[in-house]
């Protein structure tokens, strides 16, 4: 079987790594991939938004299955285009991807199908939004979200009214994220532990993947601006068997019912971003793809082959099961100094072979330069996942291994999985 993976981050490295272990797979391509992925797959220089280029490549190379990493191509309809061409693809069509592509759609879906979520109001113009904030009807902190995709940066936690007013100006008038911020959701601020729950579904049946927790803030102690994710742990320390059951009955089951009632044909991954509050789990957001860096801790805990599962979903009928490892996985991400703001690229990376078989290195922003040297090529550069019987050993191994890696301006959090 020939598989094409779309994307270039740590998530796609983890997907490629897992797919490469399948006896069913003879060849993997990745578009565009990164330096780490190139040791497992042939990287082809086609961008994830070049649908014509990808379709042409898939046809010429007799690709049996395409697996999509990032959300943007899904929201833009890559799965619709592949299916029109008779190509099998793992990832939802536009009708399902809108659950991530529009926060307003997602909130309405949750409200309609009784999925617990923060109270919210939608605004389509800045005057109404400002009047509402000025009316004193809300208490701060409050949360303002751009309706559309904003590369994970469209959520502003407003500590006071002035910040709220500024967020409205930035999103709706200065159009910081273009059309994505023309409409906004203003919602209640929730307090609790965040958790990431992933399912694989064909729209009717589903399989639950190992649960995870990511650390989104740049600094230790969950301080500073949000990033794409600085590390993750699976299972989430805050999820026990009772919470698992609650999540299933209060969130996953009503979600699946919602899909059926709305007639949404969803084939792919749903990643529920949750807040575990005192009143139970609430959904912060739906994602229609695997999380990054959650995938880097989830897939190392899946003991069986995922290719038959992904393939069955792409064909329309979910088959198989997930065999979860009892071990704990911890992933720590090394980033370029300055990230998530401005940072420099092009620094050489010293990357010794891991000394333990429990360690897997996943590349994100890396490439080989003209001299064949491994260099930094992004904000999130490289990460290490350790698999161990308990969280403390996994942390120790992950940090021990990460400290062997060196590049100029390297920065990482010291408290991943410690909270
Ligand atoms: P989202 O893209 O909706 O997951 O939001 C990004 C991040 O903002 C989340 O991971 C949370 O840390 C935070 N966040 C979003 N919505 C809320 C909320 N209603 N209350 C508190 N924090 C939130
Ligand atoms: N780690 C959060 C995300 O992938 O959206």
């Amino acid at each position: 079987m020939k598989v094409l993976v779309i994307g270039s981050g740590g998530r796609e490295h983890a997907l490629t790594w897992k797919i490469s272990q399948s006896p069913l797979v003879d060849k993997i391509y990745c578009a565009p991939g990164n330096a780490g992925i190139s040791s497992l797959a042939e990287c082809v220089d086609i961008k994830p938004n070049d649908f014509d280029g990808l379709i042409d490549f898939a046809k010429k190379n007799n690709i049996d299955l395409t697996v999509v990493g990032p959300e943007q191509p899904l929201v833009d309809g890559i799965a619709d285009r592949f299916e029109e061409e008779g190509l099998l693809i793992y990832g939802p069509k536009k009708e399902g991807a809108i659950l991530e592509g529009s926060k307003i759609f997602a909130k309405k879906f949750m409200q309609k199908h009784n999925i617990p979520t923060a109270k919210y109001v939608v605004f389509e113009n800045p005057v109404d939004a400002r009047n509402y904030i000025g009316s004193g009807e809300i208490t701060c902190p409050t949360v303002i979200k751009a309706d559309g995709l904003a590369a994970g940066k469209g959520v502003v936690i407003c500590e006071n009214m002035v910040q709220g007013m500024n967020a409205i100006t930035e999103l709706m008038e200065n159009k910081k994220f273009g059309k994505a911020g023309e409409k906004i959701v203003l919602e209640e601020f929730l307090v609790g532990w965040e958790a990431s729950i992933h399912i694989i579904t064909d729209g009717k049946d589903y399989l639950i993947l190992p649960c995870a927790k990511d650390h989104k803030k740049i600094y230790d102690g969950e301080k500073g601006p949000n990033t794409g994710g600085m590390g993750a742990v699976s299972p989430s320390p805050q999820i026990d068997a009772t919470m698992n059951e609650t999540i299933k009955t209060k969130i996953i089951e009503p979600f699946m019912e919602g899909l059926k009632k709305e007639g949404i044909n969803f084939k792919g991954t749903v990643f529920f971003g949750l807040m575990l509050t005192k009143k139970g789990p609430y959904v912060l957001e739906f994602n229609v793809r695997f999380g990054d860096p959650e995938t880097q801790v989830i897939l190392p805990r899946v003991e069986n082959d995922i290719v038959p599962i992904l393939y069955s979903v792409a064909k329309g009928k979910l088959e198989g099961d997930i065999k979860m490892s009892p071990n704990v996985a911890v992933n720590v991400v090394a980033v370029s100094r300055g990230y998530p703001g401005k940072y420099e690229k092009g620094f050489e990376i010293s990357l010794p072979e891991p000394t333990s078989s429990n360690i897997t290195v996943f590349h994100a922003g890396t490439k080989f330069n003209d001299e064949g040297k491994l260099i930094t090529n992004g904000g999130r550069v490289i990460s290490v996942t350790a698999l161990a019987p308990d969280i403390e050993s996994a942390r120790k191994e992950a940090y021990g291994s990460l400290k062997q890696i060196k590049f100029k301006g390297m920065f990482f959090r010291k408290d991943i999985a410690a909270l």
Side-chain angles (χ1 to χ4, degrees):
M1 189 173 188
K2 288 183 179 177
V3 179
L4 169 65
V5 176
I6 295 178
S8 61
R11 163 184 52 208
E12 288 75 19
H13 192 178
L15 280 165
T16 307
W17 169 82
K18 186 68 186 161
I19 291 168
S20 73
Q21 292 163 15
S22 171
L24 300 170
V25 174
D26 324 296
K27 171 95 186 165
I28 312 176
Y29 297 94
C30 186
N34 61 36
I37 295 174
S38 70
S39 67
L40 301 168
E42 186 177 328
C43 293
V44 289
D45 193 15
I46 312 173
K47 300 275 177 301
N49 62 0
D50 178 5
F51 295 174
D52 290 337
L54 291 166
I55 286 168
D56 191 47
F57 181 85
K59 283 187 172 170
K60 287 198 174 124
N61 292 280
N62 300 318
I63 299 296
D64 299 292
L65 173 68
T66 297
V67 179
V68 186
E71 61 276 16
Q72 190 76 54
L74 293 166
V75 170
D76 293 343
I78 192 169
D80 306 62
R81 287 287 315 278
F82 266 62
E83 286 202 6
E84 279 158 26
E85 300 289 338
L87 294 162
L88 279 186
I89 187 159
Y90 179 84
K93 292 198 282 190
K94 267 186 176 179
E95 60 176 300
I98 193 170
L99 285 160
E100 177 165 0
S102 166
K103 300 263 188 207
I104 298 174
F105 184 91
K107 293 298 283 190
K108 288 187 174 156
F109 183 95
M110 289 186 247
Q111 197 174 27
K112 194 162 164 196
H113 301 291
N114 289 319
I115 299 167
T117 192
K119 290 197 196 84
Y120 74 102
V121 198
V122 171
F123 292 104
E124 301 199 358
N125 73 68
V127 178
D128 291 347
R130 275 204 203 88
N131 284 346
Y132 185 79
I133 291 198
S135 72
E137 280 205 45
I138 57 156
T139 47
C140 286
T142 190
V143 186
I144 292 183
K145 299 184 175 183
D147 176 45
L149 291 184
K153 297 188 182 120
V155 175
V156 192
I157 313 279
C158 308
E159 300 293 341
N160 53 52
M161 270 167 52
V162 176
Q163 285 179 5
M165 297 289 186
N166 289 342
I168 290 166
T169 308
E170 280 295 292
L171 291 173
M172 302 183 92
E173 286 176 340
N174 299 345
K175 303 214 190 301
K176 192 172 172 191
F177 300 113
K179 277 187 87 62
E182 279 178 359
K183 295 180 194 170
I184 60 162
V185 172
L186 192 149
E187 74 177 31
E188 175 197 9
F189 178 76
L190 297 174
V191 179
W193 294 104
E194 285 189 53
S196 303
I197 300 295
H198 290 65
I199 61 165
I200 290 178
T201 181
D202 60 3
K204 292 169 226 68
D205 297 315
Y206 64 90
L207 292 173
I208 305 181
L209 286 163
C211 64
K213 169 182 170 166
D214 82 337
H215 293 263
K216 286 209 178 73
K217 298 281 195 288
I218 184 78
Y219 300 126
D220 285 11
E222 303 302 331
K223 302 237 165 59
N226 262 340
T227 69
M230 296 294 290
V233 54
S234 174
S236 158
Q238 283 83 35
I239 297 186
D240 57 12
T242 315
M243 180 54 84
N244 256 327
E245 203 43 44
T246 310
I247 290 169
K248 201 169 146 185
T249 52
K250 298 268 188 228
I251 290 165
I252 303 176
E253 296 285 349
F255 175 83
M256 294 304 301
E257 275 307 301
L259 286 186
K260 284 174 209 158
K261 282 187 188 144
E262 305 284 332
I264 298 174
N265 172 11
F266 195 106
K267 296 192 292 179
T269 302
V270 185
F271 151 19
F272 302 88
L274 305 186
M275 186 72 90
L276 310 177
T277 74
K278 280 192 183 137
K279 290 200 268 174
Y282 277 58
V283 176
L284 295 178
E285 62 166 351
F286 298 128
N287 301 286
V288 298
R289 36 93 196 161
F290 289 99
D292 186 348
E294 285 89 336
T295 310
Q296 292 88 304
V297 289
I298 290 174
L299 293 184
R301 294 193 57 229
V302 175
E303 291 185 331
N304 53 313
D305 190 353
I306 58 158
V307 173
I309 301 173
L310 304 182
Y311 189 64
S312 72
V313 168
K315 283 198 296 185
K317 174 89 186 81
L318 174 65
E319 279 166 20
D321 232 323
I322 299 288
K323 191 166 178 296
M324 276 186 220
S325 154
N327 283 326
V328 177
V330 169
N331 173 273
V332 187
V333 182
V335 304
S336 304
R337 191 166 302 283
Y339 173 80
K342 281 206 173 78
Y343 56 85
E344 286 180 63
K345 297 182 192 176
F347 299 119
E348 202 174 321
I349 305 169
S350 154
L351 177 62
E353 276 293 313
T355 47
S356 153
S357 61
N358 305 337
I359 298 288
T360 312
V361 175
F362 294 117
H363 293 228
T366 67
K367 71 172 190 181
F368 290 114
N369 67 9
D370 294 341
E371 293 151 37
K373 287 194 172 132
L374 183 67
I375 58 168
T376 65
N377 190 39
R380 288 193 287 178
V381 174
I382 204 160
S383 72
V384 168
T385 295
L387 201 60
D390 59 81
I391 200 163
E392 260 322 300
S393 324
R395 288 194 73 228
K396 212 167 145 215
E397 289 218 37
Y399 278 106
S401 177
L402 191 72
K403 281 177 187 154
Q404 307 299 311
I405 302 175
K406 299 214 164 30
F407 59 88
K408 194 175 165 208
M410 174 171 166
F411 173 80
F412 56 89
R413 275 180 61 167
K414 313 289 182 296
D415 64 346
I416 300 300
L419 300 174

